[in-house]
Amino acid sequence: MTRIATSQLNQSALADLMRAQQQSFDALQQVNSGKKAQDLKGFGADAPALLSARGLQSRTEGYLDNLKVLQNQTSAQNLALENVYDSATGLREIVTNAMSVDDADVLMQEVERVFLDAVNAINVKQGGQYLFGGVKTDTPPVNINSMADLAAAASVDDIFDNADRARVTRLDDDRIVEAAPVADEAARELFASFKRIAEFDAGPNGPFGADLTDAQRTFLTTELQNISGATDDVSAAVSKNGLLQSQVDDAFAQQTAKSDYLKGLVSDLEEVDMAEAISRLQQSQLAVEASARVFSSLSRTSLLDFLR
């Protein structure tokens, strides 16, 4: 005859109770956290895929943060470059008008006005950094504030303090682009025109007055051609920035779609089906109650009760 000890029955019932309590605790954690497990070990065979998806999601979010900054920067750059372009076309109009009426009495005042507009546009800052300084973002790329300063400079190159190298940035895993043109690339020829006009006005054939002299007319005719070339340079910088804006917007759309997909993938791997989790919690609680009743009953019972 097989003997059954009271202690063996109690130990078996206690083990059932502890197992039911653990299952209830696990189910409760799933309901409270919304996750299948609280550590990677709990995800079992899905752990490597989850780690990979999380890493890709983190990198994608980093790209999106950078692209948001770039969208703001390229927008500010577009506005600034359009202002420089307006200064170039304004200079051409000022010179053309003076020649058409044979009167340059206010020419230098008007030239100074569009010159200052160009300086302010080129020295624009975003987020505390000069946008057209290249990798040198802490120094104004144009270091003068008046036509007199420009005329006094030994050469037009001396007024530019931007770095030789443009800032670069990464759009995604495969694309690295220039973040902005440097100041002298976009506006050197425009400021060269400003400088020649200022020097001529201060030279032996100046200043410009109510009636243009033959020398002044000849100079302005030649300079109009230079201004047209300078305007083309600025226009090219505007177009280049517009292309960069399109690339940034395209990359942002791609990274957003990638982020949405990865969020869904991580959710599928990581998050629990709440309806199933609640059902398991309810079942496990019933199992705990049942196991507790059995254990309690056995704890009060001795085999001697059955031998009486």
Side-chain angles (χ1 to χ4, degrees):
M1 178 182 294
T2 302
R3 295 184 176 180
I4 301 176
T6 303
S7 61
Q8 289 178 317
L9 291 172
N10 285 343
Q11 288 176 359
S12 177
L14 179 60
D16 290 341
L17 175 59
M18 293 177 65
R19 184 164 50 252
Q21 287 176 329
Q22 183 62 51
Q23 290 173 347
S24 179
F25 176 76
D26 292 342
L28 180 61
Q29 279 197 317
Q30 287 184 341
V31 170
N32 288 338
S33 68
K35 300 183 183 299
K36 294 177 182 178
Q38 306 309 306
D39 54 37
L40 282 174
K41 182 180 178 181
F43 289 98
D46 287 337
L50 179 58
L51 272 177
S52 178
R54 283 177 176 174
L56 286 172
Q57 185 180 18
S58 177
R59 186 159 73 246
T60 300
E61 292 301 322
Y63 283 139
L64 282 173
D65 289 341
N66 183 55
L67 288 167
K68 289 175 185 176
V69 173
L70 278 175
Q71 284 180 322
N72 290 333
Q73 286 184 350
T74 54
S75 179
Q77 288 165 192
N78 182 69
L79 179 61
L81 289 171
E82 286 185 344
N83 286 340
V84 177
Y85 181 79
D86 289 343
S87 294
T89 56
L91 178 60
R92 183 171 57 194
E93 183 178 350
I94 290 166
V95 172
T96 300
N97 289 342
M99 293 178 65
S100 66
V101 297
D102 199 35
D103 185 349
D105 194 33
V106 294
L107 182 140
M108 291 308 298
Q109 294 96 311
E110 293 181 339
V111 169
E112 176 112 22
R113 173 178 56 80
V114 293
F115 161 79
L116 291 175
D117 288 343
V119 171
N120 291 332
I122 285 292
N123 283 344
V124 68
K125 296 172 73 175
Q126 177 86 4
Q129 296 184 330
Y130 290 97
L131 295 179
F132 302 112
V135 296
K136 193 176 181 181
T137 59
D138 59 348
T139 303
V142 172
N143 59 30
I144 57 171
N145 294 299
S146 70
M147 292 284 286
D149 293 337
L150 178 60
S155 74
V156 69
D157 294 321
D158 290 338
I159 74 168
F160 291 103
D161 283 339
N162 58 266
D164 293 332
R165 290 189 298 115
R167 289 182 294 113
V168 296
T169 189
R170 182 177 289 277
L171 300 183
D172 51 36
D173 290 342
D174 303 316
R175 288 184 291 178
I176 298 176
V177 297
E178 288 189 1
V182 291
D184 58 358
E185 173 191 343
R188 183 189 183 282
E189 295 308 314
L190 175 60
F191 281 94
S193 283
F194 282 129
K195 180 172 175 57
R196 285 189 292 269
I197 292 171
E199 289 173 340
F200 187 92
D201 182 68
N205 290 311
F208 290 106
D211 297 314
L212 289 175
T213 66
D214 290 341
Q216 290 172 347
R217 178 174 289 279
T218 298
F219 167 77
L220 291 178
T221 299
T222 301
E223 196 56 41
L224 268 178
Q225 298 176 359
N226 295 327
I227 294 170
S228 293
T231 303
D232 290 342
D233 287 348
V234 180
S235 179
V238 173
S239 298
K240 183 177 180 181
N241 187 75
L243 176 60
L244 175 60
Q245 283 184 295
S246 297
Q247 291 176 311
V248 170
D249 290 343
D250 177 64
F252 186 83
Q254 292 179 2
Q255 294 299 320
T256 298
K258 186 176 181 180
S259 175
D260 291 342
Y261 168 76
L262 289 170
K263 286 177 182 177
L265 179 59
V266 170
S267 176
D268 290 342
L269 292 170
E270 189 176 60
E271 295 181 8
V272 71
D273 184 311
M274 193 57 67
E276 291 183 3
I278 292 173
S279 176
R280 283 195 299 272
L281 176 60
Q282 294 171 339
Q283 292 173 2
S284 63
Q285 288 173 338
L286 291 175
V288 169
E289 294 173 3
S291 297
R293 285 195 297 270
V294 171
F295 178 72
S296 177
S297 175
L298 289 174
S299 297
R300 295 193 303 269
T301 302
S302 169
L303 287 177
L304 293 176
D305 294 334
F306 297 97
L307 299 176
R308 292 175 184 164

